[in-house]
Amino acid sequence: MFQWVTEMVAAGGLWGVFALMVLENLFPPIPSELIMAASGFAAARGQMSLPWLIVFAVAGTVVGNIVWYELGRWLGVERFRPLVARYGKWFAVEEEDLDRATGLLRRWGPFAICIGRMFPGVRTLISVPAGMVGIRRGVFYLWTALGSAVWLTFLALAGYFLEEHYDKVEGWVEPLAWVVVGVAVGGYAAHLIFAFRRARRRRQG
């Protein structure tokens, strides 16, 4: 799988990386860890520029989060919460998650946006309350870009240096890629199962 993802990324080029990172931030089960590692691997093989890869990946991340931020800002807490209650489970977001992210944001401010970029699920979820509590656009974009740049650079460099030693590690790279995808898909499936069970209990109670 890792080789296939690498070839797909290389074929799509920088704009392909940009599009994948936009999708990763709109739909969390698509793992940025695999996308960026494969992209760094392709860069090491001369199929794209490593610095530009990071620039396009960060840009895609910011664009993907703008959608959530602007949605939260436009709807506000009162109008957004009913939507989360009804449709949030399909995007791995529930009311409890929203409350936790809002509390984290109120406590730590823009720093929470930056640190949140490095944690799956949180990195997308934090954008919604950032819009709802009215954090300024410039502040949100800046801290999102900074946090994303640190995390995505790390992932890209991991893939980049992996290529130099691929002959030594190819035996576990492929299984690891499947594990990453399996964990992402399995986590999303488990989330849906528990979300529907909780919704059923609420209706019955």
Side-chain angles (χ1 to χ4, degrees), residues 1-10 17 20 31-45 47-48 53 155-156 158-160 162-163 173 177:
M1 166 174 277
F2 187 79
Q3 284 282 16
W4 176 77
V5 174
T6 301
E7 292 169 4
M8 181 181 69
V9 166
V17 172
L20 286 173
S32 63
E33 290 79 5
L34 184 57
I35 296 169
M36 290 306 297
S39 299
F41 194 89
R45 293 188 164 183
Q47 295 170 309
M48 62 178 65
L53 157 63
L155 293 175
Y160 188 88
L162 168 67
E163 198 278 337
V173 168

Side-chain angles (χ1 to χ4, degrees), residues 72-73 75-82 98 102 106 129 132-133:
R73 190 181 181 98
L75 290 173
V77 177
E78 296 306 317
R79 286 193 293 174
F80 194 82
R81 183 175 292 278
L98 190 62
T102 302
R106 291 188 186 279
M132 291 193 303
V133 302

Side-chain angles (χ1 to χ4, degrees), residues 13-76:
L14 295 172
W15 285 107
V17 172
F18 173 86
L20 286 173
M21 294 309 297
V22 171
L23 290 174
E24 192 269 340
N25 285 276
L26 290 176
F27 191 62
I30 301 175
S32 63
E33 290 79 5
L34 184 57
I35 296 169
M36 290 306 297
S39 299
F41 194 89
R45 293 188 164 183
Q47 295 170 309
M48 62 178 65
S49 162
L50 180 63
W52 280 112
L53 157 63
I54 295 170
V55 170
F56 274 70
V58 171
T61 297
V62 172
V63 169
N65 279 275
I66 285 175
V67 174
W68 291 114
Y69 169 82
E70 293 295 342
L71 188 62
R73 190 181 181 98
W74 176 59
L75 290 173

